Amino acid sequence: MSEDPFGSRLERLREAGHKLTHARLTVLQVLEQSGGHITSTELLERVNAADPSIGRASVFRCLDLFTRLCFIRPTHIDNNATPTYVLMSGGHHHHIICTACNRVIEFEDCHLDELTRELEQRLNVTLTGHLLEFYGLCAHCRSADQ
Amino acid sequence: MSEDPFGSRLERLREAGHKLTHARLTVLQVLEQSGGHITSTELLERVNAADPSIGRASVFRCLDLFTRLCFIRPTHIDNNATPTYVLMSGGHHHHIICTACNRVIEFEDCHLDELTRELEQRLNVTLTGHLLEFYGLCAHCRSADQ
DNA sequence: TTAGATGCAAATAGTTTGCATTTGT
DNA sequence: ACAAATGCAAACTATTTGCATCTAA
């Protein structure tokens, strides 16, 4: 598992001046057990299963906080209203979304370090993460398409 | 303007077997005049201003269709429930989102052609577009942050 | 001790649906 | 001519809010 260790996000939460509350720890744990992709609806279900005393609003507040901290990022896998949250392990995430079947294919190497540094210098910004999504047809849909 | 000419998307709509209806042409036009970023709510307003006889549902159906055709892509600029749609000119789009003030900084060159070809070969997929988002602090927020 | 975070339930906002009618080809 | 697309309004779903209470530091 090259996943960010649980502790490192807790660390960052604390360093940013946020309390390590029961709700936050639980939501973080569920997110990290999600395999990288989870919708808010699924998250609500799983958090509720883990601890029914945690309220819906807190889960949404966590999603918002964790997004601002760049732990996760909302995206739209299947083109419906509900976003899917992807775990930004190591600050980044990359995948291919099949526009025919919505299958998600993850890949690791993005070779964006150089571009990151170049943008930081040229635009005078500090970059902490990125999300790269490709769209197209997966192997299966490509052959079905003929 | 290195924007996709209006005609080329119409072409692709037709080629994919869709009718060139008044609602679709209007929504497309509003999207192309949006400067690249627009929320569904803003889109609804502008389409309604352009032609009040176009119904809400049709606008959402257009958003869905255009996303499947990779003309646009939903993303989350400001971390709230409403997605922002970005125009995928030339099939791709790249920007930096400031996590402090939500400012969006666009940039052109992503140097992802090589990676695209590599992924297509290695994973046996056909890629038609991509979205690359960086997150961090813009020049302004970086200095405010000190 | 106390600022920050929570749970609740109600309010809001955004999106989708079913269906009769219209329209592009 | 007719399959595809539309507009409508109602239904549905997801998200946010205000506030009294609780809790991590």
Side-chain angles (χ1 to χ4, degrees):
Chain A
M1 224 359 132
S2 65
E3 177 58 80
D4 264 46
F6 187 61
S8 120
R9 292 195 182 98
L10 292 193
E11 202 69 15
R12 289 208 274 147
L13 249 185
R14 176 166 24 224
E15 275 164 15
H18 302 286
K19 289 184 179 173
L20 270 50
T21 67
H22 176 61
R24 285 176 181 160
L25 301 190
T26 305
V27 171
L28 201 45
Q29 212 158 1
V30 172
L31 283 169
E32 293 184 340
Q33 287 166 356
S34 70
H37 296 127
I38 192 170
T39 63
S40 52
T41 308
E42 287 164 352
L43 181 68
L44 284 167
E45 281 169 7
R46 294 192 202 171
V47 168
N48 187 63
D51 184 345
S53 76
I54 295 173
R56 232 170 321 138
S58 293
V59 176
F60 281 105
R61 285 185 280 235
C62 282
L63 284 173
D64 186 61
L65 175 61
F66 295 165
T67 299
R68 277 186 285 115
L69 290 171
C70 219
F71 291 0
I72 55 175
R73 198 74 211 177
T75 181
H76 287 268
I77 303 288
D78 44 7
N79 241 23
N80 62 3
T82 317
T84 293
Y85 289 83
V86 303
L87 249 193
M88 300 285 277
S89 301
H92 54 190
H93 188 88
H94 326 101
H95 56 213
I96 297 167
I97 299 175
C98 177
T99 51
C101 71
N102 295 322
R103 193 181 314 234
V104 176
I105 303 161
E106 312 212 11
F107 63 93
E108 282 308 315
D109 39 320
C110 60
H111 312 297
L112 288 173
D113 293 346
E114 203 186 329
L115 177 57
T116 303
R117 281 190 296 273
E118 191 254 300
L119 289 170
E120 285 187 315
Q121 289 193 2
R122 178 155 59 86
L123 302 172
N124 207 32
V125 297
T126 302
L127 300 178
T128 55
H130 64 254
L131 172 64
L132 173 57
E133 290 188 331
F134 281 94
Y135 314 107
L137 295 179
C138 70
H140 183 261
C141 292
R142 184 164 81 157
S143 42
D145 195 47
Q146 105 166 232
Chain B
M1 220 6 128
S2 65
E3 178 57 82
D4 264 318
F6 187 60
S8 118
R9 293 196 181 97
L10 293 192
E11 202 69 15
R12 288 207 275 148
L13 250 186
R14 176 166 25 226
E15 275 165 15
H18 302 287
K19 291 183 179 174
L20 272 46
T21 66
H22 176 61
R24 285 175 181 162
L25 301 190
T26 306
V27 172
L28 202 46
Q29 212 158 0
V30 171
L31 283 169
E32 294 183 340
Q33 287 166 356
S34 69
H37 297 126
I38 192 169
T39 63
S40 54
T41 307
E42 287 163 353
L43 181 68
L44 284 167
E45 281 169 8
R46 295 193 201 171
V47 167
N48 187 64
D51 183 345
S53 76
I54 295 173
R56 232 170 322 139
S58 293
V59 175
F60 280 104
R61 285 185 280 236
C62 282
L63 283 174
D64 186 62
L65 175 61
F66 295 165
T67 299
R68 278 186 284 113
L69 290 170
C70 219
F71 291 0
I72 55 175
R73 199 73 211 179
T75 181
H76 287 268
I77 303 288
D78 45 5
N79 242 23
N80 63 3
T82 318
T84 293
Y85 289 84
V86 302
L87 250 192
M88 301 285 277
S89 303
H92 55 188
H93 188 88
H94 326 101
H95 57 212
I96 298 167
I97 299 175
C98 176
T99 49
C101 72
N102 295 322
R103 194 182 312 237
V104 177
I105 304 160
E106 313 212 10
F107 62 93
E108 281 308 315
D109 38 320
C110 59
H111 313 297
L112 288 171
D113 293 348
E114 203 185 328
L115 177 58
T116 303
R117 281 190 297 273
E118 192 253 301
L119 289 169
E120 285 187 315
Q121 289 192 4
R122 178 154 60 86
L123 302 173
N124 208 31
V125 297
T126 302
L127 300 178
T128 54
H130 64 255
L131 173 64
L132 172 58
E133 289 188 333
F134 282 94
Y135 314 107
L137 295 179
C138 69
H140 183 261
C141 292
R142 184 163 79 157
S143 39
D145 196 46
Q146 106 163 229

